[in-house]
Amino acid sequence: MTSFHTDQLTTLLALVDEGTFERAAARLHITASAVSQRIKAMEQAAAQILVQRTNPVLPTAAGDIVLRHARQVALLEFDTALALGAAFGGVGGLDGDASRPGSDASGAAHVRPVSIAIAVNADSLGTWFLESLASLASTLNAVFDLHRDDQEHTTALLRSGTVLAAVTSTPEPVQGCTSEPLGTMRYRAVCSPAFAARWRPEVAQKHLPHHAEVHLRNADADAGTRVHAAEALPDADERFAWLATAPMLNFDRKDELQSGFLRARTHTSGHPPTAGSDQVAKSTSARTVGDLIGAPPTHYIPTTADFARATLLGLGWSLLPEQQCLGPIADGALIELDPEHPVDVPLYWQRWNLGSPTLTALTAAVRATAARTLHPPTAHFAQKHPKRDE
């Protein structure tokens, strides 16, 4: 059985986290040559390459396995150091300070803080999740390494060993992990009054028209041509057909929340051709509202606060978490496009199945914050939902 020394595992962690041999060396207070020698010794012991010598350094599939082991060892060694401090009258200890909410972390100051890597989607990060970590600031001797990714992609970071825990929309636990429901994050489709006034004046007056007209904004279409939504897309809900050509906001190219909302309300299925694709360009007759649904003009705004601000400024329509939009809706700064049908995204907390008091304290804090800020789980909590990276 392959075994690694603690200093080797610590070196692998530093190398992957820092990205280069030089930065890992600075973190460990050794030379870059020493970092390289330790990694080579690990690879010889494993008889496999563990890291790709790229910039930044990336773990291989075998490296992911060892990386996961290294993070587990680091966490358990930290918990052990605290427990021993209490057991032998030291200033650490799991019963007296930094590992348990409600205790005083000052006594464990001599124990180097453990780094806890967590994957979390951007909307959670920008609305409720940081409250969980803030509640632990005086009770947990830890620093947090947050990895932002879409809620349907965060489990990949668990599998690779990059993170210890993740907020995810996947209920099935990753191998070696536990999974529990956190609650439902509710989104509402909104736009600014100025945006609605440009694209659909009736909506600006907080009235969704039943016989909307959609202006096909296409390179080959007559600039003055208007067609009735019912004629262009017979099975569409006419109230929302205008959104097919109005500018839309996406967080990034993984974000399907807005396009999923649009497809659901215009009774389309699948993924239509994107703007500029050959399928759209080859046939003028195919240029109907239905062809453009899922691919309206799109702005990409990759930060949560700026995404909400862009919506308020009228750059496009979007779906915002209730924590970001209920106030502006009440103030009249935003118009809700479909008040009766918000979009619910279930969130789960997955963590490594380790008997770690530190990880247990973190889980308790996340669970408590989610209970205060998210909607309770629904009867269909495990069903597939649109995704947003957030």
Side-chain angles (χ1 to χ4, degrees), residues 217-218 243-250 255 258-260 262-263 266 268 270-277 280 288-300 317:
R217 296 173 176 267
N218 220 286
L243 294 177
T245 52
M248 181 177 80
L249 301 184
N250 270 356
D255 186 358
Q258 284 71 220
S259 58
L262 189 55
R263 285 194 298 271
T266 50
T268 60
H271 296 274
T274 57
S277 69
V280 172
T288 66
V289 178
D291 293 318
L292 295 176
I293 289 176
T298 303
H299 301 287
Y300 293 95
W317 70 273

PDB file of all heavy atoms in Angstrom, residues 217-218 243-250 255 258-260 262-263 266 268 270-277 280 288-300 317:
ATOM      1  N   ARG A 217     -36.171  41.290 -34.573  1.00  0.00           N
ATOM      2  CA  ARG A 217     -34.965  42.056 -34.835  1.00  0.00           C
ATOM      3  C   ARG A 217     -33.954  41.107 -35.465  1.00  0.00           C
ATOM      4  O   ARG A 217     -33.217  40.429 -34.777  1.00  0.00           O
ATOM      5  CB  ARG A 217     -34.430  42.658 -33.521  1.00  0.00           C
ATOM      6  CG  ARG A 217     -35.397  43.663 -32.932  1.00  0.00           C
ATOM      7  CD  ARG A 217     -34.944  44.114 -31.557  1.00  0.00           C
ATOM      8  NE  ARG A 217     -35.847  45.149 -31.059  1.00  0.00           N
ATOM      9  CZ  ARG A 217     -35.645  46.453 -31.225  1.00  0.00           C
ATOM     10  NH1 ARG A 217     -34.580  46.871 -31.870  1.00  0.00           N
ATOM     11  NH2 ARG A 217     -36.510  47.318 -30.760  1.00  0.00           N
ATOM     12  N   ASN A 218     -33.931  41.077 -36.783  1.00  0.00           N
ATOM     13  CA  ASN A 218     -33.083  40.149 -37.500  1.00  0.00           C
ATOM     14  C   ASN A 218     -32.389  40.885 -38.623  1.00  0.00           C
ATOM     15  O   ASN A 218     -32.932  41.839 -39.179  1.00  0.00           O
ATOM     16  CB  ASN A 218     -33.940  39.015 -38.077  1.00  0.00           C
ATOM     17  CG  ASN A 218     -33.247  37.686 -37.943  1.00  0.00           C
ATOM     18  OD1 ASN A 218     -32.306  37.433 -38.668  1.00  0.00           O
ATOM     19  ND2 ASN A 218     -33.692  36.867 -36.995  1.00  0.00           N
ATOM     20  N   LEU A 243     -40.145  38.664 -24.849  1.00  0.00           N
ATOM     21  CA  LEU A 243     -38.841  38.464 -24.224  1.00  0.00           C
ATOM     22  C   LEU A 243     -37.872  37.712 -25.131  1.00  0.00           C
ATOM     23  O   LEU A 243     -36.662  37.732 -24.896  1.00  0.00           O
ATOM     24  CB  LEU A 243     -38.995  37.696 -22.909  1.00  0.00           C
ATOM     25  CG  LEU A 243     -39.754  38.411 -21.785  1.00  0.00           C
ATOM     26  CD1 LEU A 243     -39.896  37.492 -20.582  1.00  0.00           C
ATOM     27  CD2 LEU A 243     -39.045  39.704 -21.395  1.00  0.00           C
ATOM     28  N   ALA A 244     -38.403  37.062 -26.179  1.00  0.00           N
ATOM     29  CA  ALA A 244     -37.543  36.290 -27.068  1.00  0.00           C
ATOM     30  C   ALA A 244     -36.566  37.159 -27.836  1.00  0.00           C
ATOM     31  O   ALA A 244     -35.523  36.678 -28.291  1.00  0.00           O
ATOM     32  CB  ALA A 244     -38.392  35.479 -28.055  1.00  0.00           C
ATOM     33  N   THR A 245     -36.883  38.422 -28.006  1.00  0.00           N
ATOM     34  CA  THR A 245     -35.988  39.300 -28.749  1.00  0.00           C
ATOM     35  C   THR A 245     -35.497  40.478 -27.919  1.00  0.00           C
ATOM     36  O   THR A 245     -34.702  41.278 -28.403  1.00  0.00           O
ATOM     37  CB  THR A 245     -36.682  39.829 -30.020  1.00  0.00           C
ATOM     38  OG1 THR A 245     -37.939  40.398 -29.658  1.00  0.00           O
ATOM     39  CG2 THR A 245     -36.881  38.702 -31.022  1.00  0.00           C
ATOM     40  N   ALA A 246     -35.972  40.596 -26.687  1.00  0.00           N
ATOM     41  CA  ALA A 246     -35.481  41.647 -25.801  1.00  0.00           C
ATOM     42  C   ALA A 246     -34.161  41.203 -25.172  1.00  0.00           C
ATOM     43  O   ALA A 246     -33.943  40.010 -24.930  1.00  0.00           O
ATOM     44  CB  ALA A 246     -36.511  41.938 -24.712  1.00  0.00           C
ATOM     45  N   PRO A 247     -33.239  42.122 -24.899  1.00  0.00           N
ATOM     46  CA  PRO A 247     -31.961  41.739 -24.297  1.00  0.00           C
ATOM     47  C   PRO A 247     -32.150  41.022 -22.956  1.00  0.00           C
ATOM     48  O   PRO A 247     -32.984  41.405 -22.140  1.00  0.00           O
ATOM     49  CB  PRO A 247     -31.242  43.082 -24.105  1.00  0.00           C
ATOM     50  CG  PRO A 247     -31.843  43.979 -25.135  1.00  0.00           C
ATOM     51  CD  PRO A 247     -33.278  43.566 -25.239  1.00  0.00           C
ATOM     52  N   MET A 248     -31.345  40.001 -22.763  1.00  0.00           N
ATOM     53  CA  MET A 248     -31.410  39.148 -21.578  1.00  0.00           C
ATOM     54  C   MET A 248     -30.067  39.186 -20.868  1.00  0.00           C
ATOM     55  O   MET A 248     -29.030  39.367 -21.507  1.00  0.00           O
ATOM     56  CB  MET A 248     -31.749  37.722 -22.001  1.00  0.00           C
ATOM     57  CG  MET A 248     -31.874  36.696 -20.896  1.00  0.00           C
ATOM     58  SD  MET A 248     -32.359  35.071 -21.556  1.00  0.00           S
ATOM     59  CE  MET A 248     -30.778  34.469 -22.167  1.00  0.00           C
ATOM     60  N   LEU A 249     -30.075  39.019 -19.562  1.00  0.00           N
ATOM     61  CA  LEU A 249     -28.840  38.927 -18.794  1.00  0.00           C
ATOM     62  C   LEU A 249     -28.557  37.481 -18.425  1.00  0.00           C
ATOM     63  O   LEU A 249     -29.453  36.750 -18.002  1.00  0.00           O
ATOM     64  CB  LEU A 249     -28.927  39.752 -17.506  1.00  0.00           C
ATOM     65  CG  LEU A 249     -29.199  41.247 -17.633  1.00  0.00           C
ATOM     66  CD1 LEU A 249     -29.159  41.910 -16.257  1.00  0.00           C
ATOM     67  CD2 LEU A 249     -28.199  41.908 -18.565  1.00  0.00           C
ATOM     68  N   ASN A 250     -27.320  37.044 -18.591  1.00  0.00           N
ATOM     69  CA  ASN A 250     -26.845  35.760 -18.092  1.00  0.00           C
ATOM     70  C   ASN A 250     -25.625  36.002 -17.230  1.00  0.00           C
ATOM     71  O   ASN A 250     -24.832  36.916 -17.505  1.00  0.00           O
ATOM     72  CB  ASN A 250     -26.472  34.813 -19.234  1.00  0.00           C
ATOM     73  CG  ASN A 250     -27.642  33.958 -19.687  1.00  0.00           C
ATOM     74  OD1 ASN A 250     -28.726  34.011 -19.104  1.00  0.00           O
ATOM     75  ND2 ASN A 250     -27.432  33.181 -20.726  1.00  0.00           N
ATOM     76  N   ASP A 255     -25.079  29.555 -17.317  1.00  0.00           N
ATOM     77  CA  ASP A 255     -26.337  30.027 -16.752  1.00  0.00           C
ATOM     78  C   ASP A 255     -27.497  29.719 -17.697  1.00  0.00           C
ATOM     79  O   ASP A 255     -27.574  30.262 -18.794  1.00  0.00           O
ATOM     80  CB  ASP A 255     -26.233  31.533 -16.505  1.00  0.00           C
ATOM     81  CG  ASP A 255     -27.440  32.107 -15.790  1.00  0.00           C
ATOM     82  OD1 ASP A 255     -28.389  31.356 -15.517  1.00  0.00           O
ATOM     83  OD2 ASP A 255     -27.428  33.312 -15.494  1.00  0.00           O
ATOM     84  N   GLN A 258     -32.426  31.927 -17.144  1.00  0.00           N
ATOM     85  CA  GLN A 258     -33.297  32.790 -17.934  1.00  0.00           C
ATOM     86  C   GLN A 258     -33.872  32.057 -19.155  1.00  0.00           C
ATOM     87  O   GLN A 258     -35.074  32.135 -19.431  1.00  0.00           O
ATOM     88  CB  GLN A 258     -32.543  34.041 -18.403  1.00  0.00           C
ATOM     89  CG  GLN A 258     -32.338  35.091 -17.331  1.00  0.00           C
ATOM     90  CD  GLN A 258     -31.326  34.692 -16.276  1.00  0.00           C
ATOM     91  OE1 GLN A 258     -31.529  34.964 -15.104  1.00  0.00           O
ATOM     92  NE2 GLN A 258     -30.237  34.048 -16.668  1.00  0.00           N
ATOM     93  N   SER A 259     -33.028  31.334 -19.880  1.00  0.00           N
ATOM     94  CA  SER A 259     -33.519  30.624 -21.062  1.00  0.00           C
ATOM     95  C   SER A 259     -34.498  29.531 -20.680  1.00  0.00           C
ATOM     96  O   SER A 259     -35.467  29.258 -21.395  1.00  0.00           O
ATOM     97  CB  SER A 259     -32.351  30.051 -21.877  1.00  0.00           C
ATOM     98  OG  SER A 259     -31.572  29.176 -21.083  1.00  0.00           O
ATOM     99  N   GLY A 260     -34.278  28.878 -19.523  1.00  0.00           N
ATOM    100  CA  GLY A 260     -35.234  27.875 -19.055  1.00  0.00           C
ATOM    101  C   GLY A 260     -36.580  28.497 -18.717  1.00  0.00           C
ATOM    102  O   GLY A 260     -37.631  27.928 -19.013  1.00  0.00           O
ATOM    103  N   LEU A 262     -37.804  31.200 -20.077  1.00  0.00           N
ATOM    104  CA  LEU A 262     -38.428  31.596 -21.333  1.00  0.00           C
ATOM    105  C   LEU A 262     -39.010  30.399 -22.073  1.00  0.00           C
ATOM    106  O   LEU A 262     -40.140  30.449 -22.576  1.00  0.00           O
ATOM    107  CB  LEU A 262     -37.397  32.317 -22.208  1.00  0.00           C
ATOM    108  CG  LEU A 262     -37.908  32.993 -23.475  1.00  0.00           C
ATOM    109  CD1 LEU A 262     -39.027  33.973 -23.154  1.00  0.00           C
ATOM    110  CD2 LEU A 262     -36.760  33.706 -24.186  1.00  0.00           C
ATOM    111  N   ARG A 263     -38.276  29.284 -22.116  1.00  0.00           N
ATOM    112  CA  ARG A 263     -38.778  28.092 -22.803  1.00  0.00           C
ATOM    113  C   ARG A 263     -40.039  27.566 -22.122  1.00  0.00           C
ATOM    114  O   ARG A 263     -40.998  27.166 -22.782  1.00  0.00           O
ATOM    115  CB  ARG A 263     -37.705  27.002 -22.840  1.00  0.00           C
ATOM    116  CG  ARG A 263     -36.590  27.260 -23.838  1.00  0.00           C
ATOM    117  CD  ARG A 263     -35.774  25.996 -24.071  1.00  0.00           C
ATOM    118  NE  ARG A 263     -35.122  25.527 -22.853  1.00  0.00           N
ATOM    119  CZ  ARG A 263     -33.916  25.904 -22.459  1.00  0.00           C
ATOM    120  NH1 ARG A 263     -33.240  26.781 -23.182  1.00  0.00           N
ATOM    121  NH2 ARG A 263     -33.383  25.419 -21.360  1.00  0.00           N
ATOM    122  N   THR A 266     -43.090  29.741 -23.017  1.00  0.00           N
ATOM    123  CA  THR A 266     -43.490  29.817 -24.422  1.00  0.00           C
ATOM    124  C   THR A 266     -43.691  28.425 -24.999  1.00  0.00           C
ATOM    125  O   THR A 266     -43.766  28.244 -26.206  1.00  0.00           O
ATOM    126  CB  THR A 266     -42.451  30.593 -25.250  1.00  0.00           C
ATOM    127  OG1 THR A 266     -41.141  30.081 -24.997  1.00  0.00           O
ATOM    128  CG2 THR A 266     -42.487  32.067 -24.896  1.00  0.00           C
ATOM    129  N   THR A 268     -41.896  25.841 -25.506  1.00  0.00           N
ATOM    130  CA  THR A 268     -40.929  25.263 -26.438  1.00  0.00           C
ATOM    131  C   THR A 268     -40.112  24.235 -25.694  1.00  0.00           C
ATOM    132  O   THR A 268     -40.078  24.198 -24.474  1.00  0.00           O
ATOM    133  CB  THR A 268     -40.000  26.337 -27.027  1.00  0.00           C
ATOM    134  OG1 THR A 268     -39.293  26.958 -25.949  1.00  0.00           O
ATOM    135  CG2 THR A 268     -40.788  27.373 -27.789  1.00  0.00           C
ATOM    136  N   GLY A 270     -36.311  21.678 -25.815  1.00  0.00           N
ATOM    137  CA  GLY A 270     -34.997  21.531 -26.398  1.00  0.00           C
ATOM    138  C   GLY A 270     -34.234  22.840 -26.377  1.00  0.00           C
ATOM    139  O   GLY A 270     -34.631  23.825 -25.799  1.00  0.00           O
ATOM    140  N   HIS A 271     -33.107  22.856 -27.072  1.00  0.00           N
ATOM    141  CA  HIS A 271     -32.258  24.025 -27.129  1.00  0.00           C
ATOM    142  C   HIS A 271     -32.212  24.535 -28.564  1.00  0.00           C
ATOM    143  O   HIS A 271     -31.577  23.934 -29.423  1.00  0.00           O
ATOM    144  CB  HIS A 271     -30.840  23.696 -26.648  1.00  0.00           C
ATOM    145  CG  HIS A 271     -30.814  23.303 -25.205  1.00  0.00           C
ATOM    146  ND1 HIS A 271     -30.720  24.214 -24.192  1.00  0.00           N
ATOM    147  CD2 HIS A 271     -30.923  22.086 -24.615  1.00  0.00           C
ATOM    148  CE1 HIS A 271     -30.734  23.587 -23.029  1.00  0.00           C
ATOM    149  NE2 HIS A 271     -30.861  22.303 -23.258  1.00  0.00           N
ATOM    150  N   PRO A 272     -32.886  25.644 -28.876  1.00  0.00           N
ATOM    151  CA  PRO A 272     -32.917  26.162 -30.228  1.00  0.00           C
ATOM    152  C   PRO A 272     -31.559  26.685 -30.637  1.00  0.00           C
ATOM    153  O   PRO A 272     -30.666  26.848 -29.807  1.00  0.00           O
ATOM    154  CB  PRO A 272     -33.938  27.306 -30.136  1.00  0.00           C
ATOM    155  CG  PRO A 272     -33.922  27.696 -28.708  1.00  0.00           C
ATOM    156  CD  PRO A 272     -33.629  26.456 -27.945  1.00  0.00           C
ATOM    157  N   PRO A 273     -31.373  26.970 -31.943  1.00  0.00           N
ATOM    158  CA  PRO A 273     -30.079  27.444 -32.421  1.00  0.00           C
ATOM    159  C   PRO A 273     -29.716  28.769 -31.791  1.00  0.00           C
ATOM    160  O   PRO A 273     -30.565  29.602 -31.516  1.00  0.00           O
ATOM    161  CB  PRO A 273     -30.292  27.591 -33.931  1.00  0.00           C
ATOM    162  CG  PRO A 273     -31.770  27.739 -34.091  1.00  0.00           C
ATOM    163  CD  PRO A 273     -32.367  26.890 -33.015  1.00  0.00           C
ATOM    164  N   THR A 274     -28.428  28.942 -31.548  1.00  0.00           N
ATOM    165  CA  THR A 274     -27.968  30.192 -30.977  1.00  0.00           C
ATOM    166  C   THR A 274     -27.850  31.253 -32.060  1.00  0.00           C
ATOM    167  O   THR A 274     -27.732  30.951 -33.248  1.00  0.00           O
ATOM    168  CB  THR A 274     -26.595  30.006 -30.321  1.00  0.00           C
ATOM    169  OG1 THR A 274     -25.686  29.502 -31.301  1.00  0.00           O
ATOM    170  CG2 THR A 274     -26.687  29.029 -29.169  1.00  0.00           C
ATOM    171  N   ALA A 275     -27.883  32.500 -31.643  1.00  0.00           N
ATOM    172  CA  ALA A 275     -27.787  33.594 -32.602  1.00  0.00           C
ATOM    173  C   ALA A 275     -26.480  33.480 -33.370  1.00  0.00           C
ATOM    174  O   ALA A 275     -25.418  33.257 -32.804  1.00  0.00           O
ATOM    175  CB  ALA A 275     -27.850  34.932 -31.873  1.00  0.00           C
ATOM    176  N   GLY A 276     -26.556  33.624 -34.692  1.00  0.00           N
ATOM    177  CA  GLY A 276     -25.380  33.541 -35.533  1.00  0.00           C
ATOM    178  C   GLY A 276     -25.031  32.138 -35.969  1.00  0.00           C
ATOM    179  O   GLY A 276     -24.070  31.929 -36.691  1.00  0.00           O
ATOM    180  N   SER A 277     -25.782  31.124 -35.530  1.00  0.00           N
ATOM    181  CA  SER A 277     -25.473  29.757 -35.921  1.00  0.00           C
ATOM    182  C   SER A 277     -25.884  29.516 -37.361  1.00  0.00           C
ATOM    183  O   SER A 277     -26.691  30.234 -37.935  1.00  0.00           O
ATOM    184  CB  SER A 277     -26.196  28.759 -35.007  1.00  0.00           C
ATOM    185  OG  SER A 277     -27.587  28.806 -35.232  1.00  0.00           O
ATOM    186  N   VAL A 280     -29.645  29.154 -38.114  1.00  0.00           N
ATOM    187  CA  VAL A 280     -30.415  30.379 -38.225  1.00  0.00           C
ATOM    188  C   VAL A 280     -30.071  31.109 -39.507  1.00  0.00           C
ATOM    189  O   VAL A 280     -30.930  31.643 -40.201  1.00  0.00           O
ATOM    190  CB  VAL A 280     -30.154  31.282 -37.001  1.00  0.00           C
ATOM    191  CG1 VAL A 280     -30.784  32.642 -37.202  1.00  0.00           C
ATOM    192  CG2 VAL A 280     -30.703  30.637 -35.741  1.00  0.00           C
ATOM    193  N   THR A 288     -38.355  32.933 -36.966  1.00  0.00           N
ATOM    194  CA  THR A 288     -39.569  33.253 -36.213  1.00  0.00           C
ATOM    195  C   THR A 288     -39.187  33.448 -34.761  1.00  0.00           C
ATOM    196  O   THR A 288     -38.051  33.218 -34.359  1.00  0.00           O
ATOM    197  CB  THR A 288     -40.581  32.102 -36.323  1.00  0.00           C
ATOM    198  OG1 THR A 288     -40.034  30.966 -35.675  1.00  0.00           O
ATOM    199  CG2 THR A 288     -40.896  31.788 -37.768  1.00  0.00           C
ATOM    200  N   VAL A 289     -40.158  33.863 -33.977  1.00  0.00           N
ATOM    201  CA  VAL A 289     -39.903  34.031 -32.556  1.00  0.00           C
ATOM    202  C   VAL A 289     -39.408  32.726 -31.940  1.00  0.00           C
ATOM    203  O   VAL A 289     -38.487  32.694 -31.132  1.00  0.00           O
ATOM    204  CB  VAL A 289     -41.180  34.516 -31.841  1.00  0.00           C
ATOM    205  CG1 VAL A 289     -40.930  34.648 -30.348  1.00  0.00           C
ATOM    206  CG2 VAL A 289     -41.631  35.846 -32.416  1.00  0.00           C
ATOM    207  N   GLY A 290     -40.021  31.628 -32.334  1.00  0.00           N
ATOM    208  CA  GLY A 290     -39.651  30.333 -31.777  1.00  0.00           C
ATOM    209  C   GLY A 290     -38.209  29.977 -32.050  1.00  0.00           C
ATOM    210  O   GLY A 290     -37.551  29.339 -31.237  1.00  0.00           O
ATOM    211  N   ASP A 291     -37.682  30.378 -33.230  1.00  0.00           N
ATOM    212  CA  ASP A 291     -36.303  30.085 -33.551  1.00  0.00           C
ATOM    213  C   ASP A 291     -35.332  30.840 -32.644  1.00  0.00           C
ATOM    214  O   ASP A 291     -34.208  30.418 -32.441  1.00  0.00           O
ATOM    215  CB  ASP A 291     -35.989  30.449 -35.007  1.00  0.00           C
ATOM    216  CG  ASP A 291     -36.734  29.569 -35.988  1.00  0.00           C
ATOM    217  OD1 ASP A 291     -36.803  28.356 -35.748  1.00  0.00           O
ATOM    218  OD2 ASP A 291     -37.252  30.103 -36.977  1.00  0.00           O
ATOM    219  N   LEU A 292     -35.789  31.980 -32.143  1.00  0.00           N
ATOM    220  CA  LEU A 292     -34.896  32.821 -31.358  1.00  0.00           C
ATOM    221  C   LEU A 292     -35.024  32.586 -29.861  1.00  0.00           C
ATOM    222  O   LEU A 292     -34.199  33.040 -29.091  1.00  0.00           O
ATOM    223  CB  LEU A 292     -35.164  34.309 -31.662  1.00  0.00           C
ATOM    224  CG  LEU A 292     -34.850  34.727 -33.101  1.00  0.00           C
ATOM    225  CD1 LEU A 292     -35.236  36.178 -33.304  1.00  0.00           C
ATOM    226  CD2 LEU A 292     -33.383  34.515 -33.426  1.00  0.00           C
ATOM    227  N   ILE A 293     -36.062  31.883 -29.423  1.00  0.00           N
ATOM    228  CA  ILE A 293     -36.226  31.645 -27.998  1.00  0.00           C
ATOM    229  C   ILE A 293     -35.045  30.815 -27.485  1.00  0.00           C
ATOM    230  O   ILE A 293     -34.672  29.813 -28.058  1.00  0.00           O
ATOM    231  CB  ILE A 293     -37.558  30.955 -27.701  1.00  0.00           C
ATOM    232  CG1 ILE A 293     -38.693  31.947 -27.920  1.00  0.00           C
ATOM    233  CG2 ILE A 293     -37.588  30.389 -26.291  1.00  0.00           C
ATOM    234  CD1 ILE A 293     -40.055  31.365 -27.760  1.00  0.00           C
ATOM    235  N   GLY A 294     -34.486  31.232 -26.390  1.00  0.00           N
ATOM    236  CA  GLY A 294     -33.295  30.590 -25.848  1.00  0.00           C
ATOM    237  C   GLY A 294     -32.034  31.267 -26.314  1.00  0.00           C
ATOM    238  O   GLY A 294     -30.970  31.029 -25.771  1.00  0.00           O
ATOM    239  N   ALA A 295     -32.125  32.128 -27.332  1.00  0.00           N
ATOM    240  CA  ALA A 295     -30.944  32.816 -27.821  1.00  0.00           C
ATOM    241  C   ALA A 295     -31.249  34.273 -28.139  1.00  0.00           C
ATOM    242  O   ALA A 295     -30.943  34.763 -29.209  1.00  0.00           O
ATOM    243  CB  ALA A 295     -30.401  32.113 -29.061  1.00  0.00           C
ATOM    244  N   PRO A 296     -31.899  34.998 -27.250  1.00  0.00           N
ATOM    245  CA  PRO A 296     -32.082  36.426 -27.469  1.00  0.00           C
ATOM    246  C   PRO A 296     -30.753  37.149 -27.296  1.00  0.00           C
ATOM    247  O   PRO A 296     -29.766  36.546 -26.850  1.00  0.00           O
ATOM    248  CB  PRO A 296     -33.082  36.819 -26.379  1.00  0.00           C
ATOM    249  CG  PRO A 296     -32.855  35.838 -25.299  1.00  0.00           C
ATOM    250  CD  PRO A 296     -32.481  34.556 -25.982  1.00  0.00           C
ATOM    251  N   PRO A 297     -30.677  38.437 -27.633  1.00  0.00           N
ATOM    252  CA  PRO A 297     -29.440  39.180 -27.361  1.00  0.00           C
ATOM    253  C   PRO A 297     -29.112  39.066 -25.878  1.00  0.00           C
ATOM    254  O   PRO A 297     -29.974  39.286 -25.023  1.00  0.00           O
ATOM    255  CB  PRO A 297     -29.806  40.619 -27.750  1.00  0.00           C
ATOM    256  CG  PRO A 297     -30.962  40.483 -28.686  1.00  0.00           C
ATOM    257  CD  PRO A 297     -31.724  39.275 -28.244  1.00  0.00           C
ATOM    258  N   THR A 298     -27.874  38.708 -25.572  1.00  0.00           N
ATOM    259  CA  THR A 298     -27.529  38.361 -24.199  1.00  0.00           C
ATOM    260  C   THR A 298     -26.305  39.116 -23.712  1.00  0.00           C
ATOM    261  O   THR A 298     -25.270  39.122 -24.372  1.00  0.00           O
ATOM    262  CB  THR A 298     -27.269  36.847 -24.067  1.00  0.00           C
ATOM    263  OG1 THR A 298     -28.427  36.126 -24.507  1.00  0.00           O
ATOM    264  CG2 THR A 298     -26.958  36.467 -22.629  1.00  0.00           C
ATOM    265  N   HIS A 299     -26.448  39.746 -22.543  1.00  0.00           N
ATOM    266  CA  HIS A 299     -25.317  40.334 -21.837  1.00  0.00           C
ATOM    267  C   HIS A 299     -24.820  39.331 -20.803  1.00  0.00           C
ATOM    268  O   HIS A 299     -25.616  38.675 -20.125  1.00  0.00           O
ATOM    269  CB  HIS A 299     -25.736  41.613 -21.107  1.00  0.00           C
ATOM    270  CG  HIS A 299     -26.298  42.682 -21.985  1.00  0.00           C
ATOM    271  ND1 HIS A 299     -25.519  43.442 -22.834  1.00  0.00           N
ATOM    272  CD2 HIS A 299     -27.559  43.127 -22.142  1.00  0.00           C
ATOM    273  CE1 HIS A 299     -26.289  44.316 -23.467  1.00  0.00           C
ATOM    274  NE2 HIS A 299     -27.534  44.139 -23.077  1.00  0.00           N
ATOM    275  N   TYR A 300     -23.508  39.203 -20.655  1.00  0.00           N
ATOM    276  CA  TYR A 300     -22.927  38.322 -19.643  1.00  0.00           C
ATOM    277  C   TYR A 300     -22.311  39.175 -18.534  1.00  0.00           C
ATOM    278  O   TYR A 300     -21.373  39.954 -18.775  1.00  0.00           O
ATOM    279  CB  TYR A 300     -21.883  37.398 -20.268  1.00  0.00           C
ATOM    280  CG  TYR A 300     -22.489  36.413 -21.227  1.00  0.00           C
ATOM    281  CD1 TYR A 300     -22.537  36.678 -22.599  1.00  0.00           C
ATOM    282  CD2 TYR A 300     -23.057  35.223 -20.778  1.00  0.00           C
ATOM    283  CE1 TYR A 300     -23.118  35.786 -23.488  1.00  0.00           C
ATOM    284  CE2 TYR A 300     -23.641  34.323 -21.654  1.00  0.00           C
ATOM    285  CZ  TYR A 300     -23.669  34.610 -23.002  1.00  0.00           C
ATOM    286  OH  TYR A 300     -24.251  33.725 -23.881  1.00  0.00           O
ATOM    287  N   TRP A 317     -33.456  41.937 -18.981  1.00  0.00           N
ATOM    288  CA  TRP A 317     -34.303  41.282 -17.998  1.00  0.00           C
ATOM    289  C   TRP A 317     -33.563  40.071 -17.446  1.00  0.00           C
ATOM    290  O   TRP A 317     -32.662  39.535 -18.091  1.00  0.00           O
ATOM    291  CB  TRP A 317     -35.643  40.876 -18.598  1.00  0.00           C
ATOM    292  CG  TRP A 317     -35.578  39.750 -19.595  1.00  0.00           C
ATOM    293  CD1 TRP A 317     -35.342  39.856 -20.937  1.00  0.00           C
ATOM    294  CD2 TRP A 317     -35.744  38.349 -19.334  1.00  0.00           C
ATOM    295  NE1 TRP A 317     -35.347  38.613 -21.531  1.00  0.00           N
ATOM    296  CE2 TRP A 317     -35.602  37.671 -20.572  1.00  0.00           C
ATOM    297  CE3 TRP A 317     -36.009  37.603 -18.189  1.00  0.00           C
ATOM    298  CZ2 TRP A 317     -35.704  36.284 -20.672  1.00  0.00           C
ATOM    299  CZ3 TRP A 317     -36.110  36.214 -18.290  1.00  0.00           C
ATOM    300  CH2 TRP A 317     -35.966  35.577 -19.533  1.00  0.00           C
TER     301      TRP A 317
END
